[in-house]
Amino acid sequence: MNLYTRDIEAAVRFYRDLLGLTETFRTPAEGTPSHVEVRAGSFTIGLGTVDAASRVHGVDAEPGRPAMALVFWAGDVDAEFARLTAAGVTAVKPPHDTGNNNRNALLRDPDGNLVEIVSKVTA
């Protein structure tokens, strides 16, 4: 999966530094990258600049449209939501019970893409 971004450094800080994904690839290696890959387990997210999408693929990327949401499971949605919003992440919907014994919260990454965090409700 590739996400296109207007500010790749902000996207890397969000996915790598705040969400804790592991950076596995960056090009170019020096200076501001046009593509960075981060990994959560066996799932890789490619972060690519809007400019690179246009230049390399001929794609007019529009980051932040609500066409999808990235979903991450957490041990405690309330604690993660508090940590992320304290770090300046934009909240869309605070933690709430959604059925199936799940608790969810919605946030936005630096480009406005929806990011959902989910955990099981504990007794």
Side-chain angles (χ1 to χ4, degrees):
M1 161 182 253
N2 282 333
L3 283 178
Y4 296 114
T5 177
R6 291 179 191 92
D7 183 344
I8 196 159
E9 297 294 356
V12 169
R13 283 190 301 274
F14 179 80
Y15 288 99
R16 184 192 63 201
D17 301 342
L18 288 175
L19 291 183
L21 281 66
T22 302
E23 183 176 320
T24 58
F25 177 79
R26 168 182 291 249
T27 188
E30 301 298 324
T32 302
S34 60
H35 182 85
V36 174
E37 292 179 3
V38 291
R39 182 176 285 270
S42 62
F43 181 68
T44 300
I45 299 171
L47 304 170
T49 64
V50 169
D51 176 64
S54 176
R55 182 175 33 81
V56 176
H57 303 294
V59 172
D60 292 327
E62 293 185 51
R65 296 195 140 244
M68 60 90 191
L70 287 172
V71 178
F72 294 93
W73 283 85
D76 182 340
V77 164
D78 292 86
E80 282 301 300
F81 182 83
R83 183 182 70 80
L84 292 166
T85 55
V89 175
T90 301
V92 174
K93 185 163 176 113
H96 56 285
D97 294 336
T98 60
N100 292 329
N101 206 31
N102 290 341
R103 188 156 175 80
N104 300 42
L106 279 171
L107 305 121
R108 290 205 182 268
D109 77 1
D111 284 293
N113 296 301
L114 288 174
V115 174
E116 183 175 1
I117 50 177
V118 183
S119 67
K120 288 296 182 185
V121 175
T122 57

